[in-house]
mmCIF file of all heavy atoms in Angstrom:
data_model
loop_
_atom_site.group_PDB
_atom_site.id
_atom_site.type_symbol
_atom_site.label_atom_id
_atom_site.label_comp_id
_atom_site.label_asym_id
_atom_site.label_seq_id
_atom_site.Cartn_x
_atom_site.Cartn_y
_atom_site.Cartn_z
ATOM 1 N N GLN A 37 6.444 25.510 -7.057
ATOM 2 C CA GLN A 37 6.353 24.220 -7.795
ATOM 3 C C GLN A 37 7.675 23.554 -7.790
ATOM 4 O O GLN A 37 8.768 24.175 -7.601
ATOM 5 C CB GLN A 37 5.853 24.523 -9.231
ATOM 6 C CG GLN A 37 4.456 25.058 -9.281
ATOM 7 C CD GLN A 37 3.962 25.409 -10.685
ATOM 8 O OE1 GLN A 37 4.795 25.916 -11.441
ATOM 9 N NE2 GLN A 37 2.785 25.037 -10.969
ATOM 10 N N ILE A 38 7.568 22.262 -8.061
ATOM 11 C CA ILE A 38 8.795 21.416 -8.131
ATOM 12 C C ILE A 38 8.885 20.775 -9.492
ATOM 13 O O ILE A 38 7.853 20.574 -10.116
ATOM 14 C CB ILE A 38 8.771 20.287 -6.966
ATOM 15 C CG1 ILE A 38 10.121 19.614 -6.895
ATOM 16 C CG2 ILE A 38 7.622 19.362 -7.164
ATOM 17 C CD1 ILE A 38 10.252 18.774 -5.633
ATOM 18 N N THR A 39 10.139 20.586 -9.963
ATOM 19 C CA THR A 39 10.434 20.008 -11.281
ATOM 20 C C THR A 39 11.540 19.072 -11.142
ATOM 21 O O THR A 39 11.939 18.721 -9.986
ATOM 22 C CB THR A 39 10.610 21.001 -12.251
ATOM 23 O OG1 THR A 39 10.673 20.503 -13.551
ATOM 24 C CG2 THR A 39 11.847 21.875 -11.908
ATOM 25 N N PHE A 40 12.059 18.575 -12.255
ATOM 26 C CA PHE A 40 13.227 17.740 -12.300
ATOM 27 C C PHE A 40 14.146 18.017 -13.407
ATOM 28 O O PHE A 40 13.720 18.510 -14.463
ATOM 29 C CB PHE A 40 12.810 16.234 -12.164
ATOM 30 C CG PHE A 40 12.458 15.668 -13.486
ATOM 31 C CD1 PHE A 40 13.308 14.774 -14.174
ATOM 32 C CD2 PHE A 40 11.267 15.976 -14.096
ATOM 33 C CE1 PHE A 40 12.997 14.326 -15.375
ATOM 34 C CE2 PHE A 40 10.887 15.370 -15.293
ATOM 35 C CZ PHE A 40 11.769 14.547 -15.957
ATOM 36 N N ALA A 41 15.330 17.604 -13.269
ATOM 37 C CA ALA A 41 16.301 17.626 -14.329
ATOM 38 C C ALA A 41 16.978 16.250 -14.335
ATOM 39 O O ALA A 41 17.738 15.955 -13.323
ATOM 40 C CB ALA A 41 17.316 18.765 -14.209
ATOM 41 N N ASP A 42 16.946 15.474 -15.376
ATOM 42 C CA ASP A 42 17.453 14.154 -15.357
ATOM 43 C C ASP A 42 18.964 13.980 -15.595
ATOM 44 O O ASP A 42 19.569 12.988 -15.324
ATOM 45 C CB ASP A 42 16.654 13.158 -16.234
ATOM 46 C CG ASP A 42 16.358 13.730 -17.576
ATOM 47 O OD1 ASP A 42 16.883 14.767 -17.958
ATOM 48 O OD2 ASP A 42 15.703 13.024 -18.369
ATOM 49 N N ASP A 43 19.590 15.063 -16.118
ATOM 50 C CA ASP A 43 21.044 14.930 -16.289
ATOM 51 C C ASP A 43 21.602 16.406 -16.371
ATOM 52 O O ASP A 43 20.825 17.329 -16.559
ATOM 53 C CB ASP A 43 21.405 14.080 -17.499
ATOM 54 C CG ASP A 43 20.897 14.596 -18.802
ATOM 55 O OD1 ASP A 43 21.020 15.840 -19.100
ATOM 56 O OD2 ASP A 43 20.306 13.821 -19.558
ATOM 57 N N ASP A 44 22.945 16.512 -16.370
ATOM 58 C CA ASP A 44 23.547 17.848 -16.338
ATOM 59 C C ASP A 44 23.473 18.590 -17.642
ATOM 60 O O ASP A 44 23.898 19.733 -17.722
ATOM 61 C CB ASP A 44 25.016 17.718 -15.840
ATOM 62 C CG ASP A 44 25.873 16.837 -16.552
ATOM 63 O OD1 ASP A 44 25.422 16.375 -17.737
ATOM 64 O OD2 ASP A 44 27.003 16.656 -16.199
ATOM 65 N N ARG A 45 22.940 18.025 -18.666
ATOM 66 C CA ARG A 45 22.683 18.743 -19.924
ATOM 67 C C ARG A 45 21.634 19.807 -19.727
ATOM 68 O O ARG A 45 21.503 20.743 -20.522
ATOM 69 C CB ARG A 45 22.305 17.841 -21.057
ATOM 70 C CG ARG A 45 23.475 16.910 -21.515
ATOM 71 C CD ARG A 45 22.991 15.969 -22.642
ATOM 72 N NE ARG A 45 21.999 15.091 -22.060
ATOM 73 C CZ ARG A 45 21.479 14.030 -22.773
ATOM 74 N NH1 ARG A 45 21.932 13.762 -23.907
ATOM 75 N NH2 ARG A 45 20.663 13.248 -22.110
ATOM 76 N N ARG A 46 20.920 19.712 -18.616
ATOM 77 C CA ARG A 46 19.846 20.698 -18.289
ATOM 78 C C ARG A 46 20.358 21.725 -17.352
ATOM 79 O O ARG A 46 19.537 22.501 -16.761
ATOM 80 C CB ARG A 46 18.666 19.838 -17.643
ATOM 81 C CG ARG A 46 18.137 18.778 -18.505
ATOM 82 C CD ARG A 46 16.895 19.249 -19.247
ATOM 83 N NE ARG A 46 16.284 18.112 -19.971
ATOM 84 C CZ ARG A 46 16.171 18.082 -21.183
ATOM 85 N NH1 ARG A 46 16.465 19.110 -21.939
ATOM 86 N NH2 ARG A 46 15.599 17.068 -21.826
ATOM 87 N N LEU A 47 21.646 21.807 -17.043
ATOM 88 C CA LEU A 47 22.147 22.708 -16.165
ATOM 89 C C LEU A 47 21.719 24.210 -16.460
ATOM 90 O O LEU A 47 21.364 24.885 -15.545
ATOM 91 C CB LEU A 47 23.721 22.650 -16.074
ATOM 92 C CG LEU A 47 24.336 23.532 -15.074
ATOM 93 C CD1 LEU A 47 23.953 23.302 -13.656
ATOM 94 C CD2 LEU A 47 25.899 23.329 -15.127
ATOM 95 N N ALA A 48 21.854 24.616 -17.698
ATOM 96 C CA ALA A 48 21.445 25.990 -18.007
ATOM 97 C C ALA A 48 19.960 26.209 -17.683
ATOM 98 O O ALA A 48 19.588 27.263 -17.205
ATOM 99 C CB ALA A 48 21.748 26.239 -19.404
ATOM 100 N N GLN A 49 19.136 25.222 -17.974
ATOM 101 C CA GLN A 49 17.650 25.354 -17.745
ATOM 102 C C GLN A 49 17.430 25.446 -16.147
ATOM 103 O O GLN A 49 16.601 26.171 -15.737
ATOM 104 C CB GLN A 49 16.889 24.151 -18.306
ATOM 105 C CG GLN A 49 16.794 24.275 -19.802
ATOM 106 C CD GLN A 49 16.135 22.976 -20.312
ATOM 107 O OE1 GLN A 49 16.796 21.936 -20.450
ATOM 108 N NE2 GLN A 49 14.846 23.127 -20.684
ATOM 109 N N VAL A 50 18.205 24.623 -15.375
ATOM 110 C CA VAL A 50 18.046 24.607 -14.024
ATOM 111 C C VAL A 50 18.411 26.000 -13.431
ATOM 112 O O VAL A 50 17.676 26.493 -12.622
ATOM 113 C CB VAL A 50 18.927 23.516 -13.330
ATOM 114 C CG1 VAL A 50 19.021 23.723 -11.817
ATOM 115 C CG2 VAL A 50 18.361 22.145 -13.686
ATOM 116 N N ARG A 51 19.485 26.583 -13.963
ATOM 117 C CA ARG A 51 19.890 27.850 -13.460
ATOM 118 C C ARG A 51 18.814 28.918 -13.819
ATOM 119 O O ARG A 51 18.675 29.855 -13.095
ATOM 120 C CB ARG A 51 21.250 28.201 -14.140
ATOM 121 C CG ARG A 51 22.401 27.439 -13.509
ATOM 122 C CD ARG A 51 23.692 27.890 -14.051
ATOM 123 N NE ARG A 51 24.805 27.268 -13.423
ATOM 124 C CZ ARG A 51 25.939 26.840 -14.034
ATOM 125 N NH1 ARG A 51 26.085 27.007 -15.364
ATOM 126 N NH2 ARG A 51 26.889 26.236 -13.287
#
Side-chain angles (χ1 to χ4, degrees):
Q37 295 178 315
I38 190 166
T39 188
F40 81 104
D42 47 3
D43 61 51
D44 58 6
R45 291 179 294 189
R46 304 261 185 238
L47 181 58
Q49 288 174 281
V50 167
R51 287 182 176 144

